Amino acid sequence: MCLIFYFSAQSTIPTDLSKLGEENILVEKIDGRPLYMDAQATTPIDPRVLDAMLPYMLSQYGNAHSRTHAYGWESEKAVEKAREQIANLIKCDPREIIFTSGATECNNIAVKGVARFYSEKKKHVITTQTEHKCVLDSCRALEGEGFEITYLPVSNTGLINASDIEKTISSNTSLVSVMMVNNEIGVKQPIHEIGELCKSKGVFFHTDAAQAVGKIPIDVNEMKIDLMSISGHKIYGPKGIGALYVRRRPRVKIHPIQSGGGQERGIRSGTVPTHLVVGLGEACEIAKNEMKYDHEWMEKLSNRLLNKIMNRIPHVVRNGDSNHSYPGCINLSFAYVEGESLLMALKDVALSSGSACTSASLEPSYVLRAIGTDEDLAHSSIRFGFGRFTTIEEVDYTVDRVIKQVERLRSMSPLWEMVQEGIDLKSIQWSQH
Amino acid sequence: MSIFKYIPKNIQGYSMNNIFAVYYHEKVIDHYENPRNVGSLDKTDKRVGTGLVGAPACGDVMKLQIKVRDIQVDEQGRIEDAKFKTFGCGSAIASSSLATEWVKGKTIDEALQLKNTDIAKELCLPPVKLHCSMLAEDAIKAALSDYRIKQQNAQKELEEVNNTKMNE
């Protein structure tokens, strides 16, 4: 079978360039689809993953929980193989993997499940302000049930200080939840330190590793992680599948959210989707084998993008700690240019101004607010997300477009004009609306 | 695997315009891609009124300037030129571009009659973008009021000069 990728840079290069005004981009004809630069939102499925999945979508359709016939047995075998592939990637026991519908469900089960199970003795949960919405919202739900939640602030580079967690942990604390790699600014949290700390204090440690699994090396035992959320579609696997790592020794007990047939050790009832699970397993195996190569590729691409943009455009700020971050996620603020208008101008590149879950609202990103980005810069941010299939040509094309459009929009920006005239924008009394 | 032959056709049939039509009306895209009257007028000129509204923290700042014909030349005082610069989303840029287009050739009183609802209607703005059209109306009003203040000050200066001359 032949699968052709439609991500090539050539297909979107404008055929007719504008010679009218500097502001005019009307006559740029765009063929084909935009380049994809939003790998934190989702990634394309790897053709090798699809190949592994196809038999289970066509002929091998048995229910993995059917014990009475060959259809069930072959599916069960496939599910168990996938469990092993995931366990190999994060260095745990296959029995510690629970299949779910995705990282959001994993985070819900982990945060609510652990907090509720131990609620008679402990009613305190610690998390950070830059977590994914599903963790924050699960915590809000717990607050409604009478739990006490601490939302720890992060430094202005986005990193959490382990000593802040230490100060907050009390005898009432049941769970600490800190994400491994941030989805908006790519910052890697000091998971080793936090894991060590939680273990010494006898508190369970959950980490949302949706953006980290398969991209950076993870060893749940070395990192002392008790629960970890994994997503399929962030690692070139299918959408609608995720896995939750739950430690067996010492055992982490969970109050299940979903009632049903007791599949997945009673933690997540419901028929396991064999084809998706096989896809996730295959994606994890590929990620394990190619992690070093992929990571080097991400570094190469991100350095290229950063160097070119920073050298060519002034007043660009990188959000998040550049020393402790995953290179495939770069969040830049282009001062004096509004992010949404820049995205509209870069219509042949699929980019995002932050999390896909919050881009429908007009509010600037809460993650950028949490790291203390000025509100006007928070409105000017764009996230560049590279993936395994991103090419150098695509990065170069994106950079050229960004430079051109930032210059165009700055020529239209009253703020840029005022800055050029030497006016301090902070000295102006702005009318709020 | 004949079923896969159909995939590329479907993908190619998905044109860029369709993608954007979901979020922006074509009139917004037209004004955004081909903005009218971008630029600045001399803000020290007595015949130029400048309106600066919005705030960077809110993600929208509009600067709208109007230039009114000399009253000695044109009694009605029509607006001969209008320019804008906008920091904001596509709808904000489109709203201010449309506003400059509309005020040109109008008298000050006519320009004061322009309503944000007209701008919103013309650009088919969705509810979340209505504040862009309100900001454009505010910008017109601010520019007109700046012009009036300038004219009044000029009038006063003129009178003072005349008074001092008479005293001499």
Side-chain angles (χ1 to χ4, degrees), chain B residues 25-91:
Chain B
H25 192 266
E26 56 185 87
K27 283 177 183 161
V28 174
I29 297 173
D30 176 36
H31 273 279
Y32 173 73
E33 295 191 338
N34 189 18
R36 281 63 139 177
N37 309 315
V38 175
S40 295
L41 300 168
D42 178 10
K43 60 185 170 195
T44 55
D45 188 336
K46 277 175 199 154
R47 293 193 289 131
V48 171
T50 306
L52 183 69
V53 294
C58 303
D60 296 292
V61 177
M62 277 183 200
K63 189 191 78 170
L64 196 143
Q65 291 180 305
I66 49 147
K67 189 170 187 180
V68 183
R69 266 190 217 143
D70 205 324
I71 297 173
Q72 274 139 7
V73 182
D74 180 357
E75 271 182 25
Q76 287 176 305
R78 286 187 183 276
I79 295 167
E80 65 171 31
D81 201 3
K83 295 273 183 205
F84 83 94
K85 282 201 173 188
T86 293
F87 162 85
C89 64
S91 304

Side-chain angles (χ1 to χ4, degrees), chain A residues 338-349:
Chain A
E338 204 268 341
E340 199 184 319
S341 64
L342 185 53
L343 290 180
M344 199 173 160
L346 300 168
K347 60 181 175 181
D348 47 352
V349 186

Side-chain angles (χ1 to χ4, degrees), chain A residues 410 413-422, chain B residues 39-40 63 85:
Chain A
R410 278 186 178 168
S413 166
L415 304 177
W416 177 248
E417 186 183 62
M418 289 158 94
V419 169
Q420 297 305 100
E421 286 168 4
Chain B
S40 295
K63 189 191 78 170
K85 282 201 173 188

